[in-house]
Amino acid sequence: MLTIDSLSNQIAGKAILKGLSLTINPGEIHAIMGPNGAGKSTLAYTLGGRPGYEVTGGTVDFDGQDLLALEPHERAAAGLFLGFQYPVEIPGVSFVQFLREAANAQRKNRGEAPLSGGEFLKLAREKAALLRMDMDMLKRPVNVGFSGGEKKRAEMVQMGILDPKLAILDETDSGLDIDALRICGEGINAIMRKPDKAVLLITHYQRLLDYVKPDFVHVLAGGRIIKTGGPELALQLENEGYEAVAA
Amino acid sequence: MTALDFPTRKDEAFRYADLAALAPLWPVPVEPIRVAAGSSAALTVIADDATHAVARDLELTIEAGASFDLHLLNVAGAYGRLSVRAVLGEGARFHLGAAQLAGGDQTVEIVTEVVHTAPDATSRQVVRSVLAGHATGNYLGRVTVDRGAIGTDGEQSVRAMLLDRTATANARPELEIYADDVKCAHGCAVGELSAEGLFYLASRGVPPAQAKKLMLQAFLAEAFVGAADGDALNAASLAALEALL
Ligand SMILES: Nc1ncnc2c1ncn2[C@@H]1O[C@H](COP(=O)(O)OP(=O)(O)OP(=O)(O)O)[C@@H](O)[C@H]1O
Ligand SMILES: [Mg+2]
């Protein structure tokens, strides 16, 4: 589904990713762990096409398409979803308003008929319920005045509504309380654990991986994947730390 | 200058005006509006003539205890100048919500003068401008608090969004205070759309032009919060916005 080959990039002239390679197949869940500043969010943003994240080398194939040649909104329509480490506040624009436009823009891009207002609201209500989020919160301006945990939960509601093929979730677990962590973990499984979908979880802790069991765990350090293992690698990292494991 | 003299750029209220476009309309007739003591009234002015210059000059007298809500949308194609002078009596309330949009070589401007003549009057002005291309958008707003107008509460919130670096916003809120115990605040900001916000919307699949439109619509709508004609104002400002993008 996703093949990243020797990806390098720079931000404001500073090299961050330095020849990163990673392959994700349909049905797989991958976790990326790594020290602060390793380039995990940079990888997520680069795959999402954030302006300023200049690719200097390598290729990314997403379902047979050259991902790097697509505009950010086209990547979304192709089935990519980015769960933000720090979701952005957008004053005056409500979740329901923008998500309906987002869903329909994606559908249009794929040559599908748009959802009516009623169909969209039904879908939104269903996904909000899955994540136990009050539907009234989705009528508020995007992330404005939301707590850290509420923002992360809202990211998962958006993922449910947009129904992507590949979700890259950047520290979705940070900021969540114990119950919310379980609810979001179960939500990720319900939405994404399907034979034709895949997930790339970026996380610092085992706690999310207790709910969303990864098939592969990677260590990202210095802009590269330096180690890959099974679920046991996350536990080993938690016990021993990056320095010992990476050595 | 007398009312009939054509203004020059030395005249503060006309410093950034498109005088060539204004000339054929001169002298602009003054439209007096009196809001009787204790009563309330509202007015919506939409200047959306696509081809001809528009200039309006409203002179409001808001008597003691009266309340007036004025909403302006200035999207006149050739040149739009909306000028308002409001004289407030004791305990009067004046609210102005105004938006203006321009592109190309257009100039649009909103010029206000609010005079607090007596104690305890309240004035609120919310002005939002969206400017593209080589357009110029002006807001000149003077609030005067006369001697004795204690307990005055005056507020100006002025923001402009530039869609291109070639567009110009002139925003000049001014305060002249001759009384004590007065609360006056003005905020004024000229900026660009948040790149972070645009990327967030794009990452969900919203194409760039649509994302800009969503954010700008919300920005402009701040001027029309609580307007009785809110739907009409928002629809007309959306139409103007779509023409800009
Ligand atoms: N806009 C920027 N300008 C300059 N440097 C940047 C910018 N954004 C990120 N960086 C740098 O890139 C490096 C990688 O940052 P990134 O956010 O990808 O780390 P991370 O692995 O996600 O860390 P964390 O675990 O703290 O979230 C850091 O050294 C960071 O300072
Ligand atoms: Mg990060």
Side-chain angles (χ1 to χ4, degrees), chain A residues 59-135:
Chain A
T59 58
V60 181
D61 180 283
F62 180 47
D63 254 357
Q65 288 190 81
D66 175 4
L67 186 73
L68 301 178
L70 301 178
E71 294 290 316
H73 68 284
E74 295 168 336
R75 299 182 193 201
L80 183 73
F81 179 86
L82 211 59
F84 283 61
Q85 182 174 359
Y86 303 110
V88 180
E89 298 185 4
I90 305 184
V93 178
S94 77
F95 275 109
V96 280
Q97 185 188 9
F98 112 82
L99 285 171
R100 184 173 167 210
E101 294 212 17
N104 281 339
Q106 288 198 24
R107 293 174 72 93
K108 190 176 171 195
N109 230 304
R110 296 192 293 256
E112 299 164 13
L115 295 172
S116 71
E119 286 167 330
F120 173 77
L121 281 178
K122 183 166 172 279
L123 178 67
R125 211 170 279 125
E126 187 187 303
K127 301 306 174 187
L130 179 68
L131 274 305
R132 321 259 176 94
M133 175 166 256
D134 189 346
M135 187 62 192

Side-chain angles (χ1 to χ4, degrees), chain A residues 35-42 45 85-86 170-171 202 204:
Chain A
N36 294 132
K40 302 181 300 297
S41 294
T42 301
Y45 285 139
Q85 182 174 359
Y86 303 110
D170 193 357
E171 295 198 29
I202 296 170
H204 284 297

Side-chain angles (χ1 to χ4, degrees), chain B residues 35-172:
Chain B
V35 190
S39 67
S40 26
L43 177 69
T44 294
V45 175
I46 298 181
D48 61 354
D49 192 311
T51 46
H52 302 96
V54 175
R56 300 275 298 262
D57 192 358
L58 307 180
E59 179 125 11
L60 316 172
T61 306
I62 306 171
E63 294 181 347
S67 172
F68 191 64
D69 281 281
L70 177 63
H71 289 97
L72 307 176
L73 176 63
N74 187 8
V75 294
Y79 169 58
R81 176 183 175 90
L82 301 180
S83 164
V84 179
R85 184 176 143 86
V87 178
L88 277 60
E90 183 166 354
R93 179 191 155 278
F94 172 57
H95 175 89
L96 170 71
Q100 51 187 356
L101 296 92
D105 290 315
Q106 283 169 256
T107 296
V108 287
E109 55 187 349
I110 289 169
V111 180
T112 69
E113 186 183 356
V114 176
V115 187
H116 289 253
T117 63
D120 299 323
T122 302
S123 64
R124 299 248 175 283
Q125 303 182 60
V126 179
V127 181
R128 298 291 178 262
S129 305
V130 172
L131 304 162
H134 288 86
T136 302
N138 307 322
Y139 167 78
L140 302 161
R142 176 181 299 163
V143 175
T144 305
V145 182
D146 286 352
R147 213 177 304 280
I150 53 165
T152 286
D153 185 352
E155 194 180 305
Q156 289 162 286
S157 160
V158 182
R159 291 177 64 199
M161 206 65 95
L162 303 181
L163 303 189
D164 299 297
R165 297 268 161 103
T166 46
T168 305
N170 298 300
R172 297 192 53 144

Side-chain angles (χ1 to χ4, degrees), chain A residues 24-213:
Chain A
I24 301 177
N25 294 304
E28 292 177 352
I29 298 208
H30 291 241
I32 286 190
M33 305 180 82
N36 294 132
K40 302 181 300 297
S41 294
T42 301
L43 173 63
Y45 285 139
T46 306
L47 294 176
R50 184 173 173 158
Y53 287 62
E54 190 197 335
V55 174
T56 51
T59 58
V60 181
D61 180 283
F62 180 47
D63 254 357
Q65 288 190 81
D66 175 4
L67 186 73
L68 301 178
L70 301 178
E71 294 290 316
H73 68 284
E74 295 168 336
R75 299 182 193 201
L80 183 73
F81 179 86
L82 211 59
F84 283 61
Q85 182 174 359
Y86 303 110
V88 180
E89 298 185 4
I90 305 184
V93 178
S94 77
F95 275 109
V96 280
Q97 185 188 9
F98 112 82
L99 285 171
R100 184 173 167 210
E101 294 212 17
N104 281 339
Q106 288 198 24
R107 293 174 72 93
K108 190 176 171 195
N109 230 304
R110 296 192 293 256
E112 299 164 13
L115 295 172
S116 71
E119 286 167 330
F120 173 77
L121 281 178
K122 183 166 172 279
L123 178 67
R125 211 170 279 125
E126 187 187 303
K127 301 306 174 187
L130 179 68
L131 274 305
R132 321 259 176 94
M133 175 166 256
D134 189 346
M135 187 62 192
D136 283 344
M137 291 192 78
L138 294 184
K139 293 175 182 154
R140 284 171 43 184
V142 176
N143 293 317
V144 177
F146 279 42
S147 75
E150 287 167 346
K151 287 179 183 169
K152 294 304 179 67
R153 206 189 280 228
E155 293 285 289
M156 294 304 96
V157 175
Q158 294 178 54
M159 182 175 77
I161 291 170
L162 297 172
D163 195 27
K165 276 192 236 172
L166 172 67
I168 299 170
L169 305 180
D170 193 357
E171 295 198 29
T172 294
D173 55 337
S174 58
L176 293 176
D177 69 42
I178 295 161
D179 292 339
L181 180 66
R182 178 176 48 76
I183 290 163
C184 284
E186 290 169 358
I188 295 169
N189 287 331
I191 297 161
M192 297 303 295
R193 207 176 253 296
K194 306 207 168 136
D196 57 342
K197 292 181 186 284
V199 179
L200 179 60
L201 292 171
I202 296 170
T203 185
H204 284 297
Y205 304 103
Q206 170 63 31
R207 60 195 181 193
L208 179 64
L209 307 181
D210 288 339
Y211 295 106
V212 186
K213 300 237 163 28

